[in-house]
Amino acid sequence: MSSENPPQSPEQQLRKPRVAVVFGGRSSEHGISVVTAGAVLNAIDRTAYDVLPIGITTDGRWALTADEPERMAIANRTMPDVAQLAESEEGGVVLSVDPGSREVVYTEPGAVPKALGEVDVVFPVLHGPYGEDGTLQGLLELSGVPYVGAGVLASAVGQDKEYMKRVFTSFGLPVGPYLVVRPREWDTDPAAARERITGFAAEHGWPLFIKPARAGSSIGITKVEDASGLDAAIEEARRHDPKFLVESLLRGREIECGVLEFEDGPRASVPAEIPPVTAHDFYDFEAKYIDAASGIVPAPLTEEQTAEVQRLAVEAFDACSCEGLVRADFFLTEDGGFVINEINTLPGFTPISMYPRMWQESGVSYPQLVDRLIQAALTRPTGLR
């Protein structure tokens, strides 16, 4: 596959760039991905771009959907679903894996395939496995279609909390205590795995957090106060991922920082603080999206603390070979040091999400943010880079 985008035809040069917004997906974060897509569709400048919304159902079908962002919002505490937005219950969208063609075709049983035209760039707003983890990125690399955000490696590392932490550690970034329980270990000898977890608790103290290794939006995470709650927490984590992490409680303040790639390299936004959420044990999915718990932007930090967390955020971006955008999450511990918790290569992008809010406060509006990401993707080649 060529490492450069193919030259545009005269027809491509005359028309507006076509952006396929791909959303939904097979992960447990399906609903919030649909909400994010609605916000992105609302923000894209239709005088500058043509838009093709493509939803992926929970069973993996690529569906053609109407360009109706107003139907993609949370209603009565219920998440929207691609199946409700699809123009057909059986029709599917197919993207060519021939890097010489960016043609998108729509097929329905018993009907002649319909060409939908070429796509110039994909804006994926998929969260979690089968979208944020390098799988979609690999397909787009094979197809030779530019896309917003991190490449295959960075997406995979950013999705797997175990290997993310291993990369951070190798680059000297501060990481809190954790252990990993892999599927084979739990399936073959759960008693030994429990003993290892309780030994970890004896060293680092209760409570612990049990979380899926490859999920986001705080889905599947349980705060465990003592050994009696371990089995239920592990079962909940393994509903989302057979591999899970155990982390100790870090006492301190939750600080987030956005990173955005500019022409001269990545820059950090003003940081935000997630204050304690009184109605929830921690900043879980419901606190983030259903009850819309709000963060403080900018975070009330000293100039030195702000500069330090911004430096660490950019270092994390570079350590994982990220592109486009990242939200980096930290704890400011009681001893005054920052510990990195994780990065998100496709962070929440809803109107209430922290990443857009941090950049809004940094002087980049939501529409400008969307446009910058699309323009960066259009100029970045696929292939080795």
Side-chain angles (χ1 to χ4, degrees), residues 91-373:
V93 174
V94 179
L95 178 67
S96 171
V97 292
D98 177 1
S101 170
R102 296 176 180 172
E103 189 79 23
V104 176
V105 175
Y106 180 69
T107 63
E108 284 199 74
V112 176
K114 175 183 176 184
L116 299 179
E118 291 193 339
V119 166
D120 297 293
V121 63
V122 169
F123 198 130
V125 292
L126 296 148
H127 301 303
Y130 311 108
E132 191 180 353
D133 59 352
T135 50
L136 175 67
Q137 290 74 15
L139 172 64
L140 296 173
E141 292 285 352
L142 288 173
S143 303
V145 179
Y147 54 93
V148 168
V152 175
L153 174 66
S155 297
V157 170
Q159 185 64 36
D160 191 312
K161 294 178 175 64
E162 175 192 358
Y163 289 99
M164 181 197 308
K165 290 176 186 292
R166 290 183 183 276
V167 169
F168 290 158
T169 301
S170 71
F171 277 81
L173 290 161
V175 173
Y178 73 98
L179 65 82
V180 180
V181 180
R182 292 192 172 91
R184 187 191 309 164
E185 179 183 3
W186 183 258
D187 292 338
T188 58
D189 197 345
R194 273 192 216 93
E195 186 175 346
R196 197 157 69 91
I197 296 169
T198 54
F200 177 85
E203 181 180 357
H204 298 288
W206 299 91
L208 302 177
F209 287 93
I210 311 295
K211 59 176 62 175
R214 294 161 292 194
S217 295
S218 299
I219 288 174
I221 300 177
T222 306
K223 183 180 179 182
V224 181
E225 298 292 346
D226 54 49
S228 66
L230 271 181
D231 281 3
I234 290 168
E235 183 179 347
E236 171 60 17
R238 281 171 55 85
R239 277 200 319 116
H240 303 279
D241 188 345
K243 181 169 77 167
F244 64 92
L245 263 68
V246 181
E247 294 179 350
S248 63
L249 173 67
L250 291 175
R251 301 188 185 279
R253 299 161 62 187
E254 292 190 49
I255 306 295
E256 298 185 348
C257 191
V259 180
L260 180 63
E261 198 167 14
F262 287 77
E263 291 79 6
D264 59 350
R267 302 181 199 169
S269 69
V270 300
E273 179 169 6
I274 308 300
V277 186
T278 55
H280 301 263
D281 275 346
F282 59 98
Y283 194 46
D284 62 5
F285 181 86
E286 289 221 347
K288 286 181 181 179
Y289 298 113
I290 303 298
D291 295 333
S294 58
I296 303 168
V297 188
L301 301 171
T302 66
E303 287 185 15
E304 293 77 12
Q305 288 171 329
T306 295
E308 175 66 2
V309 76
Q310 289 174 326
R311 179 186 71 82
L312 290 170
V314 171
E315 283 193 11
F317 182 97
D318 285 336
C320 296
S321 298
C322 295
E323 295 169 295
L325 72 164
V326 150
R327 193 193 73 234
D329 300 345
F330 298 85
F331 291 102
L332 177 55
T333 60
E334 293 175 339
D335 64 5
F338 284 100
V339 172
I340 187 163
N341 183 36
E342 65 180 39
I343 59 168
N344 282 267
T345 56
L346 281 173
F349 224 83
T350 70
I352 64 169
S353 295
M354 297 309 299
Y355 185 86
R357 289 183 57 199
M358 289 187 286
W359 279 108
Q360 174 78 41
E361 191 67 27
S362 304
V364 181
S365 70
Y366 193 99
Q368 289 172 330
L369 187 58
V370 169
D371 185 72
R372 173 165 288 280
L373 290 168

